[in-house]
Each structure stands twice: as structure tokens, then as C-alpha cells.
Amino acid sequence: MAPRLPSARLPSAPGPEPIPGVGTVFHLIRYGRDPIGVTDRLFREYGPIVSLVRGPVRIFSPAGCAMVFATGAGVNRQILTEHDRYHMCALPGALYPSDEVLAEAAAADKRWRATPERLQPIRRTLTGLFHVNGAEHRRHRRLLMPAFHKTRIDAYRDEMVALTTKVLDEWRDDQVRDVLEDMTELTLRIATKTLFGEDAGEQGVRLARMFQEWLVTKFSPAMLLRFDAGPTVFRRWLDLTRDIDQCTLDIVRAKVARSKSQRDVAPDMLSSLIAARDEDGSALDEDELVGHAGVIFAAGHETSTNALAWTLLLLSQHPDIATDLVDELRGVLRGEAPTVEQLGSLPLLDAVVKESLRILPPVPIHPRLVAKDSELEGHSLPAGTELFLSIYHMHHDPDVFPRPQRFDPSRWSKIKPTVYEYNPFSAGPRMCIGASFATMEIKIVLAMLLQRFRIELLPGARVDRRVTITMAPKNGLPMRIRRADDAWGGGPRDLRGNLRELVDFS
């Protein structure tokens, strides 16, 4: 049992008491099963800043001293702007092995424990900008910015259109397709083409699947049993980490080799990262390139996939909005893919995307680590507190968004929330560097898809949410594909599942 910390080193925010004989494990397991439902109950009972665990907890830090959840515009402003006080952490979190951990692993009994060789790949997997803070973060962001300049993002439009056309050409009238699967394939092909300079095909699909399984496995309660032996979940996670690291490393090394042998290298993001130089002439090293490439690839398709899937589901259940959107698209685009300039002339498309990202944010929870003793809205937070911002609950604040569980794109003609009230891509110095890329991708895909097809949720379909760092349909999203017509009003509205707790479909 971990030692009990003195109360002076615990956050003052209220929360549930440990269960006698069980402690806080039950709270953690319950949270892992339903993060949004649990935090919703906590906020209702204790207020906008609440301690789920007041004692040693190691989700994102090996030295975590508590687990606190917070929501609200004032909270967001403080946490998202005070970069040097509230740190980001690499997605491996507390499993990220320090030099001391690697040394201990080298000296430990290796029959059940992971060796340094098994732990080493964790230090590069899904790290990137998540793993650096302060001056180091500012340096890395400077080096990455040219890859995400508006002119470069706009140049990816043609590739997005070509790959979307390729996927939609495979659709047939009256097919039942898993739309989540299709959007996953499309966004990962866009991600591999724009990041790596080529359509990675099956290799890209495999890498994407490994990233998805890695995230789900990382947050499994079974990961508490950290033995690298037998059929343990931890062993499977280490295998995934090794395979992801090796696959990404192979891609990076091949790209570096081509950049040295060719004068004209494809204008992809990875080439830009390799060529980037800071003011002192320094460049990203191999470990940093692998870390950034993994994060850009995973974030570049996972969040867009979920945003597209949720938007298509919402439109299928709101036929009047879908009909109006299709009319706008046809009137402006005449069946063609949108140009970059035309994307600015589609106000309803913009409102639909904004509203979808509000009501079902693909990243509903943003983690931070308190780097120094702090005070948040009158509550003390000692250094080491693991702090989780609920973007979902901010987006459902009725004082900012009236009738927040209603999918209502028209609200965006009446409201102008601040970046701390509406922030699907975060805000402040750590705002998602790929926000413009993702927004353009989502709009292009929707504009092309909705001019060619109408989609129907299957009668009696069950849709449940799966929440880790991202929020996705738990068991895919099977839908019937129809050739574009004006029959959106005939779509079924008898959706089942716990998604109904988040959206009012009446």
C-alpha cells in the first residue's frame, strides 16, 4: 500500500472518500469505465473542481499525488495560459521510463519484470509536443510551425480531395457500411500522404490500428498488473509499443535517407520536420522525429475520424439540418469538391462542424500535471497533482450554450463564445498545432460525401461512447448508404445506447 500523504500535500478540492478496505481503486476503475458519466456525477455533487483521488495516483506522472477534475471558462483560462505552471505529459504517462527506472529495471529480477530493452521504446511513442514544456516546448513548436503554415495546409487540399474520391468511389447504393471504419481508412490515408509523402496503404492501416489498440489498452484497469509475462495486458501493451516504435522509426529513417539523396523532396510534413532548423542551426534528432511523427499521425487521423463519424451520425438523426446543409452545398459547389476559398462561403457547413465538435468533442478531456504548488479558484493544488480539464462539460454549460444537449447549428449565428468557453482544439500556447488542417479535412470530406450520398442509421441501432483520451463510437457505426436524394426526413430516430445521455435526440 502506498504511504498516506500529509493533508498539507493534498488538494483542498472536495470529493468522494476512499472506500474502507478498498481505498481509491474502486473510484479509478469506475472512472475508467465511464469517464464522462463519473465526472458528470462528481461535478453535480461537489462543484466544478473535484478530487477523485486524494493520495498517490499515477496515471500521467510517476510521482502523482492526487487526481483532480475541473471545468469552467475561468479554470480553462488559468490552466491553458499558465504554461509553466500546468504541464503536459507524454501519452505513456506514468509508464514513461526515466533513466532511474531503466537503471532499476536493469538490476531487477527479470523473470516477471520488463527489461530496459522492453521499456526503451516507450520513451519515443506518442511523445512529441506532449512531452516537452517551457523553453523546450517553445523550441519544438518553432521547428514544427513551418509544416503547419497556412500555405502548406492549403496545398494539401488536392490530396484530400483525391483520397476522399477514392474512398467514396467504393460506396454503393443500399450498402450497409461501418462509417467509422471508412472514415478511419480515409483519414489515415490522408494522414500518411500528407505526413509521410505517400499513401501508406495497408502499412498505414496497420499502424493506425496499433495506435487505437495502444490507447484503449493503456487505460485498461488490467494495466495495474505490470508483469511482462504470460497473457497479461501489460505485456500486450509493451508489444504494441515496440511494434509502433519500429514501424515509425523505419518510416523516419527511410525519409531521412531520401532527403539526403534527393534535391527535390515531396512537400510533406515529415520532410519539413527533417529540414527544420532553429536559430542556432540545431535540428530535431531521431528520437524527437519519431515522437513527433507518431503524435502527428495518431492525432491527425484519430480525432478527425471521430469528428466525421459523430457529425454524420448527428446529421442522420436531424434530417431538417441535413437537408438544409445539402442544399447549401449543391448551391455553392454544384456537385464539385470545394476549393479552399469556397470553404469560407459555406456558413451552414461551418456551423454544423462547430456544433458537432461542441456537443461531442473528439477529445473531451485534456490532462495536465501541476508543476508547482498552485491555487485554482480558491482550491490549493500541490505540485504533482494530476489535473483533468473536462472540455465536454465546458461545452455543455447551459449558461454559455442554452439547451446544451440539443444539436443546433443555428446557435452559432447568435453566440460568440471565447476560446476558453469553446475549445475543441484547446487554447493558449498549447493549442493544437494541426487545428487548421483538421478543420479543412473535415469540411472537405463532408462536402464531398453529402453531395453524393445520404446515410441512414439502421433501425434500432445501439451507439455507445468509448472514452480514453478521445471519444469514439464504441462498436463502430454501421449505416445504410443511399444515393443522394431528398429523403433525409425518412431517417429512423430510434437510436439506443448511452450516447443518448449526451445528446437530446427527441
Side-chain angles (χ1 to χ4, degrees):
M1 179 180 293
R4 185 176 179 83
L5 296 179
S7 59
R9 297 300 302 158
L10 297 177
S12 64
E17 294 296 325
I19 298 173
V22 178
T24 60
V25 173
F26 174 77
H27 298 324
L28 288 171
I29 292 175
R30 188 176 62 167
Y31 170 78
R33 289 175 175 171
D34 184 13
I36 288 180
V38 167
T39 51
D40 189 62
R41 290 190 290 272
L42 290 173
F43 289 142
R44 290 177 186 274
E45 183 171 356
Y46 299 101
I49 302 178
V50 56
S51 301
L52 179 65
V53 177
R54 282 178 288 181
V57 60
R58 297 173 179 87
I59 306 299
F60 278 96
S61 168
C65 70
M67 187 176 187
V68 172
F69 293 88
T71 188
V75 166
N76 281 354
R77 179 186 297 275
Q78 182 173 338
I79 293 171
L80 297 177
T81 56
E82 296 184 22
H83 182 191
D84 293 333
R85 183 176 296 274
Y86 301 100
H87 283 186
M88 285 281 284
C89 297
L91 286 184
L95 295 173
Y96 183 90
S98 64
D99 292 340
E100 293 77 13
V101 168
L102 292 177
E104 290 174 6
D109 183 345
K110 297 181 177 60
R111 287 177 295 177
W112 301 102
R113 309 232 180 178
T115 63
E117 293 73 23
R118 292 279 282 164
L119 295 174
Q120 190 70 39
I122 301 173
R123 289 164 69 101
R124 291 193 295 207
T125 304
L126 292 178
T127 53
L129 284 177
F130 295 152
H131 183 56
V132 288
N133 293 282
E136 189 177 5
H137 171 263
R138 290 188 285 274
R139 171 182 174 266
H140 280 248
R141 194 161 179 112
R142 279 198 306 272
L143 289 168
L144 266 63
M145 280 304 294
F148 292 92
H149 190 275
K150 184 182 185 305
T151 55
R152 188 175 288 271
I153 296 299
D154 289 350
Y156 295 138
R157 178 266 178 192
D158 291 350
E159 292 171 344
M160 291 179 180
V161 169
L163 291 167
T164 303
T165 300
K166 184 176 180 180
V167 168
L168 295 181
D169 282 347
E170 297 174 2
W171 287 19
R172 297 291 181 269
D173 186 36
D174 204 35
Q175 276 186 326
V176 173
R177 301 187 66 97
D178 185 342
V179 170
L180 179 65
E181 185 79 14
D182 284 336
M183 294 302 100
T184 298
E185 178 181 350
L186 173 55
T187 58
L188 74 87
R189 289 188 182 280
I190 291 173
T192 54
K193 180 66 174 174
T194 55
L195 174 60
F196 303 136
E198 57 189 79
D199 185 351
E202 290 305 313
Q203 183 186 26
V205 173
R206 177 172 173 267
L207 185 57
R209 294 292 178 270
M210 287 193 294
F211 274 128
Q212 290 173 331
E213 186 178 353
W214 187 96
L215 277 172
V216 173
T217 305
K218 165 71 172 63
F219 292 95
S220 166
M223 284 286 285
L224 294 172
L225 187 66
R226 293 179 185 169
F227 294 129
D228 186 18
T232 61
V233 172
F234 182 62
R235 185 178 190 182
R236 172 59 183 157
W237 187 78
L238 288 176
D239 290 342
L240 284 168
T241 305
R242 175 200 62 207
D243 294 345
I244 289 170
D245 179 73
Q246 188 59 56
C247 184
T248 310
L249 180 62
D250 289 344
I251 292 171
V252 168
R253 286 179 173 173
K255 179 64 69 173
V256 169
R258 286 198 295 273
S259 69
K260 292 179 178 178
S261 62
Q262 301 175 9
R263 287 187 177 181
D264 298 320
V265 180
D268 54 80
M269 292 183 186
L270 185 53
S271 295
S272 179
L273 299 187
I274 292 169
R277 295 294 183 272
D278 207 354
E279 297 169 352
D280 60 0
S282 62
L284 295 168
D285 63 28
E286 184 176 83
D287 287 350
E288 292 167 340
L289 286 170
V290 171
H292 285 304
V295 166
I296 294 170
F297 178 76
H301 84 85
E302 174 74 8
T303 54
S304 295
T305 292
N306 296 334
L308 284 165
W310 289 132
T311 304
L312 292 171
L313 171 65
L314 290 166
L315 290 171
S316 77
Q317 298 299 288
H318 296 83
D320 292 345
I321 296 172
T323 299
D324 289 345
L325 177 56
V326 172
D327 286 346
E328 176 183 87
L329 295 172
R330 289 174 177 169
V332 175
L333 304 179
R334 307 293 181 184
E336 299 296 323
T339 64
V340 173
E341 292 73 24
Q342 285 174 321
L343 288 176
S345 303
L346 297 165
L348 182 54
L349 176 63
D350 183 66
V352 164
V353 172
K354 283 181 178 176
E355 182 70 349
S356 175
L357 294 175
R358 180 198 69 81
I359 199 167
L360 293 172
V363 184
I365 300 167
H366 292 184
R368 293 290 188 274
L369 180 68
V370 180
K372 58 184 76 172
D373 291 351
S374 303
E375 183 176 291
L376 185 65
E377 303 267 314
H379 294 288
S380 62
L381 298 177
T385 299
E386 298 193 4
L387 182 61
F388 297 81
L389 284 175
S390 179
I391 301 304
Y392 167 82
H393 285 91
M394 180 66 256
H395 285 186
H396 284 246
D397 184 339
D399 292 334
V400 181
F401 305 101
R403 303 181 70 191
Q405 290 181 280
R406 295 287 296 171
F407 178 65
D408 180 15
S410 69
R411 75 172 75 241
W412 292 95
S413 64
K414 310 163 192 170
I415 63 171
K416 291 185 179 180
T418 71
V419 295
Y420 303 109
E421 295 169 327
Y422 175 74
N423 55 354
F425 297 106
S426 192
R430 307 208 70 136
M431 181 178 177
C432 175
I433 199 170
S436 297
F437 177 94
T439 302
M440 183 172 77
E441 175 185 24
I442 292 165
K443 288 182 177 181
I444 286 174
V445 173
L446 288 174
M448 295 178 65
L449 187 157
L450 293 172
Q451 290 185 92
R452 292 181 61 176
F453 297 101
R454 174 172 61 86
I455 52 174
E456 297 176 351
L457 191 66
L458 301 182
R462 182 180 183 90
V463 181
D464 292 309
R465 61 186 185 264
R466 171 182 58 77
V467 179
T468 52
I469 291 295
T470 60
M471 178 164 61
K474 186 175 182 180
N475 297 306
L477 198 58
M479 305 184 83
R480 188 173 298 281
I481 307 302
R482 302 288 193 188
R483 285 291 175 189
D485 55 30
D486 297 319
W488 282 90
R493 300 170 70 89
D494 55 345
L495 181 149
R496 299 182 299 116
N498 66 15
L499 189 68
R500 298 191 72 95
E501 299 171 4
L502 311 186
V503 183
D504 181 2
F505 288 109
S506 60

